[in-house]
Amino acid sequence: MTKLLVITVLVALLAFSAESFRMPRQAKEEEVGTLTKISDTVKSYYDSAINTASGYLENIKGLKLEEKAVNLYTDTTTVMSTYAGIAHDQLYHFFYQN
């Protein structure tokens, strides 16, 4: 009698544990509509454009263009002020000859 009880308990435990190992049903893949395809394509193009622009901005920041532009402006204004001073002196002496 005890053997029958032990076997019944083991079979019951095996049955309960086997139930937890069941594979879940695989849902059918939903068909993707035309609007979903179009919106996914637009989103991928948008993301690609944003990533490309961000990459370009990082490259530009790496080139230190702001510092180069400031240096170019400073050098140009220095040179132009010198030549403007020379031209001013030439015109002054041209019109007011002593």
Side-chain angles (χ1 to χ4, degrees):
M1 180 82 167
T2 58
K3 287 183 181 180
L4 184 61
L5 184 63
V6 170
I7 291 174
T8 306
V9 169
L10 287 176
V11 169
L13 287 174
L14 184 62
F16 287 126
S17 64
E19 184 178 318
S20 65
F21 287 113
R22 283 187 181 172
M23 294 294 292
R25 288 186 184 175
Q26 293 181 353
K28 294 180 182 177
E29 291 186 26
E30 295 180 20
E31 293 185 20
V32 179
T34 306
L35 187 59
T36 306
K37 287 180 184 178
I38 292 172
S39 64
D40 288 344
T41 304
V42 169
K43 286 178 186 177
S44 69
Y45 284 138
Y46 177 76
D47 291 339
S48 175
I50 293 296
N51 290 336
T52 303
S54 297
Y56 288 153
L57 286 175
E58 292 299 321
N59 287 338
I60 289 172
K61 287 180 182 178
L63 296 175
K64 298 182 182 177
L65 290 179
E66 290 180 21
E67 182 181 331
K68 290 179 182 178
V70 168
N71 290 340
L72 179 66
Y73 175 76
T74 304
D75 294 342
T76 303
T77 54
T78 303
V79 169
M80 289 306 294
S81 65
T82 302
Y83 285 123
I86 293 171
H88 179 267
D89 287 343
Q90 292 294 322
L91 288 174
Y92 178 80
H93 289 293
F94 179 75
F95 288 116
Y96 300 107
Q97 295 178 2
N98 289 341

